[in-house]
Every structure is written in C-alpha cells, then in structure tokens.
Amino acid sequence: MSVEVCASCLSNGDVCVLPTETVYGLAGSAISSNAIKKIYKIKGRPPNNPLIVHVLDHESAFDFCHTNNVSKILADAFWPGPLTFILPKKDIISNSVTAGLDTVAVRSPAHPLFRKVLEKVEFPIAAPSANLSTQISPTSKRDVLDAMGKNCPYILDGGTCNFGIESTVIDLTDSPVKILRHGPISASEIESKTGIKVNFPDSQEKSPTNEPQLNSPGQMSKHYAPTTPLRLFKSFDDLSNFHLNKKNDLIILPSNKTNLPVSLQKVQIFYLSKTGEFRDIAQNLFRVLREADKIRKNFINTHLLPEEEKYSAINDKLIRASSINI
Ligand code: TXA
Ligand code: MG
C-alpha cells in the first residue's frame, strides 16, 4: 500500500495502519467521527481510554490544542520523536477522541512514511498502537497481521520500528510537568536537555483493578500481556533459584552475555539483546514477547532490570505484562 492510497483512505473517514518510530499505529482522521468509532471498535478499546493525535510539528498543533512555552521548548528539543504531550484541547477535537477529557495527547512522529501521509492530509491523525486492547503492541507489519488477523485494515509497511516501545507521555497541564507513561525519553534526559523539571511516578506497583487511572487513563495494570502467563522475578538470582523445567517453561533474559547456572541450561531461552543496553532491549521487547508466546509453554519467565531510571520503561511494561510476580 502506498502513501497516496493511505492518505486518500484517511481522507474518506476510513482507517489504515501506519508505521511510527515507536510502534505501528491504527490511524484515522482525528476530526472524523466515523474514523474514531472504527478505531475504538477494531481495537476493542474501552471508550474511557483516549487516543493520541499525530501532527507534523508544533505549529500544526495550534489548531486543535493550547500549546505553551514549555511545549515549544520540548518540541524544539524532542520533535519529531517519541514524546507525547498532554495539553488542553480545542473544540475541533471531539470528546470521543479524548474520552471526554478536556485535554488531548499530541505528538509529532519521526517515521518518514507517517510524515509523508501527514503532509498529504489536512487534518491531525489519531493513531493508538495497532494492537487489540491489553495485548502486545506491534513493531513490524507481521506483528500487526498477527495482532489483527483477518479483519486487519491496510498496512503501510515501514519496516521494523526503531524504538520498539511507545512514546513517553508527559502531562504539560501542570507545573512541574509530569511523566504519565515511561518510554524511550526519560525524565533525566528531558531535564538535562531543556532544564525543565519533571516529576515521574516512582511506584510501579500494579493497581488492584484493571480500571484506567484517572489522570493517566491508558495506564491499566494489565497491558502488553502475552497469552502465556508471564512469571516476573525480582532479579536474575531469584529466577535462577526457582525450579524451572524444560517441558513447561521458557525464559526471556535481557542479554545473551549472561552466565547461565546449570539449573537454567536445559530450558529454552530468548534474549532481548546482545548488549544489555536499554535501547536494544526496548527495540526487541515486544517482538520477543510475541515469539515466546507462540511456543505455547505453560510459563514465560523473566526478571526485572535494575531499579534505575533508564530501565523504568522496560520494567513498567514487564510489570503490566506479568501475571505472576515472584
Ligand atoms: O508511541 C506511541 O505513542 C504510539 C504511536 C502509534 O504513536 N501510540 C500509542 O497510543 O501508544 P496508545 O493509544 O496506545 O497510547 C496512548 C496513551 C494511552 O495510555 C492513553 O491513555 C494516553 O496516551 N492518553 C491519551 N490521551 C490522554 C489524555 N488526554 N490525558 C492523559 N493520557 C492520555
Ligand atoms: Mg497502546
């Protein structure tokens, strides 16, 4: 499918799947009520979980939300890129996009194909991740097809996503600004590049229910979940000391440089990276979770990364993907 076909499909109030540098997005015109309805329906997304709107640049955001000095500084530093702003919305954006909130999520994607589509249409593009609600986000065309099955809308193939996890979401409606979703850009990176002070939630505990949180509606405790139950250990040592077996278990480890104790040597292992670096682990995380899920063992076993800010996004996703914490 080409950029032109996607642009005309979106202009007709239809939806298609577009690549971004984070994950693939299920895209529709943010000002078409038909398109918005289709997005919620296809994803099976609860109506109280608002959508992200994509624009070419900070100026294009003026038309539908109230930008400010802080958004300008952050856009200069990080756009186009994986940083989403929460800002007060203007009337042109309907309540169905924002799930009734008076704020809207907006970002400028860096993927050249998404940008070409944005250049061809005259409206902002709503595009939540192109997975079914609560499941693992897709980072390639194949993942999208796996996730959506027969009813998959047209996909614009942009290769494998660079970052592999969704954008950092930052609430700019209050001071200090606050991270609502950990992602590729960390609070310390924002602070060091712009001098803007950033608050972020330090508790990564799951909420007791799977209800969306009030100030951060998409941060449901269950998310990114493989079908196979995921056992999440606090550390590599805890995982190594647990009795795992070849028949029922498989393991996901952050780096293939890990020295394996005898207890793990017979169990099938998937590695997230060759380096143990955040960037590499993030890029492979969702793909590896999907591949591990396809093996259909009784349990996928993995462990949290050290409690350092740079790993927050990965640990946050592992916690939400897990069903058993050990
Ligand atoms: O990287 C990304 O952000 C990808 C690509 C496709 O751009 N998109 C994405 O969209 O992850 P989605 O819908 O899966 O996640 C958007 C997050 C959700 O957690 C949603 O609840 C939150 O942003 N959000 C949207 N509008 C909001 C608002 N007004 N206030 C607070 N959170 C909001
Ligand atoms: Mg999502």
Side-chain angles (χ1 to χ4, degrees):
M1 198 182 187
S2 69
V3 166
E4 287 70 24
V5 179
C6 278
S8 77
C9 154
L10 296 182
S11 303
N12 291 332
D14 218 331
V15 296
C16 63
V17 176
L18 298 181
T20 84
E21 74 282 26
T22 58
V23 300
Y24 276 70
L26 177 59
S29 161
I31 55 170
S32 155
S33 56
N34 253 345
I36 301 307
K37 269 191 215 138
K38 281 184 196 160
I39 292 177
Y40 277 97
K41 180 149 184 250
I42 293 173
K43 268 187 75 84
R45 186 170 192 137
N48 55 351
N49 189 359
L51 306 180
I52 278 192
V53 172
H54 297 72
V55 288
L56 263 184
D57 49 34
H58 195 244
E59 283 77 64
S60 348
F62 293 170
D63 297 339
F64 66 92
C65 63
H66 297 278
T67 54
N68 57 35
N69 289 344
V70 174
S71 66
K72 171 77 177 124
I73 296 170
L74 291 175
D76 284 345
F78 295 104
W79 278 11
L83 186 63
T84 296
F85 306 157
I86 305 298
L87 287 166
K89 82 175 188 76
K90 291 187 179 167
D91 286 346
I92 183 169
I93 293 294
S94 80
N95 285 335
S96 56
V97 173
T98 64
L101 297 176
D102 52 12
T103 54
V104 60
V106 54
R107 87 172 184 101
S108 173
H111 196 292
L113 290 182
F114 201 124
R115 296 189 68 73
K116 282 196 178 133
V117 177
L118 276 169
E119 276 161 21
K120 289 202 177 295
V121 298
E122 281 170 3
F123 43 79
I125 297 179
S129 52
N131 52 291
L132 304 187
S133 190
T134 80
Q135 296 183 2
I136 306 169
S137 302
T139 57
S140 67
K141 179 178 173 185
R142 219 190 94 195
D143 288 354
V144 178
L145 286 168
D146 271 5
M148 300 263 172
K150 280 202 309 281
N151 300 327
C152 189
Y154 287 117
I155 306 171
L156 183 59
D157 188 357
T160 302
C161 303
N162 243 335
F163 287 99
I165 55 171
E166 300 95 334
S167 61
T168 304
V169 177
I170 187 166
D171 183 358
L172 305 185
T173 60
D174 213 352
S175 178
V177 301
K178 186 167 85 198
I179 289 194
L180 300 183
R181 176 172 75 182
H182 293 287
I185 296 177
S186 65
S188 50
E189 196 180 343
I190 296 173
E191 287 183 7
S192 68
K193 219 165 164 183
T194 63
I196 292 170
K197 161 102 187 82
V198 181
N199 275 354
F200 61 94
D202 44 15
S203 155
Q204 295 178 346
E205 295 296 306
K206 277 191 177 190
S207 76
T209 71
N210 204 38
E211 288 303 303
Q213 311 294 295
L214 204 60
N215 58 352
S216 177
Q219 293 302 75
M220 285 173 279
S221 61
K222 181 167 183 267
H223 206 157
Y224 317 111
T227 318
T228 314
L230 180 80
R231 269 197 206 116
L232 181 61
F233 293 84
K234 288 206 171 62
S235 65
F236 177 67
D237 286 348
D238 287 358
L239 187 151
S240 311
N241 292 331
F242 194 84
H243 183 74
L244 298 177
N245 76 59
K246 191 166 104 181
K247 186 162 161 267
N248 299 331
D249 289 293
L250 72 76
I251 302 172
I252 296 178
L253 293 178
S255 157
N256 67 355
K257 295 220 171 70
T258 319
N259 286 326
L260 296 179
V262 182
S263 61
L264 300 189
Q265 284 174 6
K266 292 209 175 89
V267 185
Q268 183 173 5
I269 302 183
F270 285 77
Y271 293 102
L272 292 170
S273 75
K274 294 186 175 144
T275 59
E277 295 293 326
F278 165 79
R279 189 64 202 256
D280 298 328
I281 296 174
Q283 192 181 34
N284 294 316
L285 180 67
F286 291 149
R287 179 183 56 76
V288 170
L289 275 174
R290 275 173 193 285
E291 282 173 13
D293 204 15
K294 284 186 193 152
I295 309 289
R296 297 278 178 254
K297 294 278 186 188
N298 290 0
F299 295 99
I300 299 171
N301 302 272
T302 191
H303 66 85
L304 286 169
L305 296 174
E307 250 183 78
E308 292 168 31
E309 198 220 338
K310 65 178 175 181
Y311 295 126
S312 310
I314 309 277
N315 282 340
D316 183 61
K317 287 174 186 20
L318 290 176
I319 290 169
R320 290 174 205 285
S322 66
S323 34
I324 306 157
N325 290 277
I326 295 183

